[in-house]
Amino acid sequence: MSNFSIFALARNAMSYHENWQKQWRSPAPKASYDAIIVGGGGHGLATAYYLAKEHGMRNIAVVERGWLGGGNTARNTTIVRSNYLWDDATHLYEKALQLWEGLSQDLNYNTMFSQRGVMNVGHSLQDMRDIERRVNANRLNGVDGVVLTPAQIKAMVPIMNTSSSLRYPVMGASFQPRAGVARHDAIAWGFARAADRLGVDIIQNCEVIGVQREGDQVVGIETTRGVIKSKKIGVVAAGHSSVIANMAGIRLPLESHPLQALVSEPMKPILHTVVMSNAIHAYASQSDKGDLVIGAGIDAYVGYGQRGSFPIIEHTLQAICELFPIFRRVRMNRQWGGIVDVAPDACPIISKTHIKGLYFNCGWGTGGFKATPGSGWVMAHTIAQDRPHALNAAFELNRFNTGHLIDEHGAAGVAH
Ligand SMILES: Cc1cc2nc3c(=O)[nH]c(=O)nc-3n(C[C@H](O)[C@H](O)[C@H](O)COP(=O)(O)OP(=O)(O)OC[C@H]3O[C@@H](n4cnc5c(N)ncnc54)[C@H](O)[C@@H]3O)c2cc1C
């Protein structure tokens, strides 16, 4: 195929995508629905899609205060993997990864899921012990993973500085070959289009400002476009879950933090996998457009401003330049922040509440993008059946009463 036709194809695909976005008209909300999903990010749209597809519910609305996928779904660094430590988390993320593997076909929309592998670098003996433990736990759960030596890392990523004289020497890494990256807005638009085809009403510019109850039963929401009635309401509003919970008189064990990322100018392909390091608080991949996609850990303070602070960016870029000296003169193009809600055990909450018909899906912290299809799939089951699926039973709110926390700080950390 000549270059010309490749560009023409790309242009056609882009203009189709853009035209479709412009033509999207949010319907006026109906007076009532069988279920309402609050939040038009990837997780909310996936929940609506699977409610319609797997559970036959069609009278559903997704209400979004801004535009589809304008929250964290559009702001993340798109790392998809399933190599968490504990069984409950691994099974949930692995379900998501398996759905990712067939998602473009299922949605008939190219999610650009690219299984280029994810490498987690270790810089100390303790890092390496943790990495070996995690890889062994993954393999016992049937999840792919290997431990790499510095020589194997160098062979895979020749531009990485693996010198033993580094401040944080590279002592090895874990590698999950089936992991990778995807296109963030495609997941929102893919689920939106597929849900729309099944009859779901997707209503933008519709902010939830109140939750209506009759006794212990939820009966509707107050929005900037009026009251909408429903006896099943699923809140999937990452970063703002506590605000909406507050409207229903519920206090969630979550903190909302800024999390930022940045991308460079585009370059020829040079980094063919995702490289992450918990210890130095940085990670990088190269997008299909050629820009480096770089991220860090959360900003330590709480807040709702969708921007980050400078020390984090500086610290992250220092770390990236130490690992990849070749990137020292690369210019950064854009920087932005999202707001993530973090639970005390770095694991999500996908749960019923003591208010009948009110469900929450939140607390994904720095790492919910990878879970998008799996999260929507189990949330749809929880709402439709009014009980958790086996895959999210361990992620109910009552774990904060029983103390059965699933501590994934080691696997979540900066490493999304
Ligand atoms: C910089 C950054 C990097 C990240 N990198 C990764 C990564 O590499 N891999 C990974 O797995 N995860 C990553 N994450 C986390 C990931 O982005 C999130 O966990 C995930 O996108 C959450 O999806 P969501 O659909 O729940 O949230 P969102 O996309 O944020 O959707 C929630 C929606 O709810 C809406 N909403 C809020 N309040 C209201 C209201 N009152 N009424 C109506 N609507 C409301 C918001 O406008 C928003 O659109 C990253 C996040 C950030 C910020």
Side-chain angles (χ1 to χ4, degrees), residues 188-203:
W189 285 99
F191 274 120
R193 281 166 50 116
D196 177 64
R197 275 199 298 271
L198 294 175
V200 173
D201 278 0
I202 299 174
I203 306 161

Side-chain angles (χ1 to χ4, degrees), residues 84-86 88-90 92-93 252-255 298 341-350 362-367 392-413:
Y84 281 70
L85 176 65
W86 299 105
D88 293 317
T90 306
L92 180 61
Y93 287 102
L252 292 176
L254 294 175
E255 281 185 353
I298 52 170
D341 40 24
V342 185
D345 56 355
C347 271
I349 296 166
I350 314 164
C362 51
W364 291 94
T366 59
N392 65 307
F395 297 95
E396 293 242 285
L397 263 170
N398 66 9
R399 76 177 188 270
F400 300 99
N401 297 328
T402 61
H404 284 123
L405 303 186
I406 311 151
D407 189 350
E408 282 290 358
H409 278 100

Side-chain angles (χ1 to χ4, degrees), residues 38-44 63-67 69-80 206-209 236-238 240 244 247 259-261 283 336-340 361 364-372 416:
V38 181
H43 288 222
V63 297
E64 162 56 47
R65 71 173 180 178
W67 62 95
N72 293 306
T73 299
R75 294 161 189 268
N76 74 85
T77 44
T78 82
I79 293 166
V80 175
C206 183
E207 180 172 0
V208 173
I209 49 176
V236 197
H240 297 82
I244 297 171
M247 296 173 194
L259 175 65
Q260 51 186 323
Y283 60 93
W336 65 90
I339 299 300
V340 296
N361 181 334
W364 291 94
T366 59
F369 178 70
K370 64 178 71 61
T372 305
H416 303 292

Side-chain angles (χ1 to χ4, degrees), residues 188-227:
W189 285 99
F191 274 120
R193 281 166 50 116
D196 177 64
R197 275 199 298 271
L198 294 175
V200 173
D201 278 0
I202 299 174
I203 306 161
Q204 301 177 93
N205 297 314
C206 183
E207 180 172 0
V208 173
I209 49 176
V211 175
Q212 294 191 335
R213 296 168 55 171
E214 277 171 15
D216 276 351
Q217 169 71 54
V218 75
V219 291
I221 48 173
E222 288 153 30
T223 78
T224 45
R225 295 177 69 176
V227 171

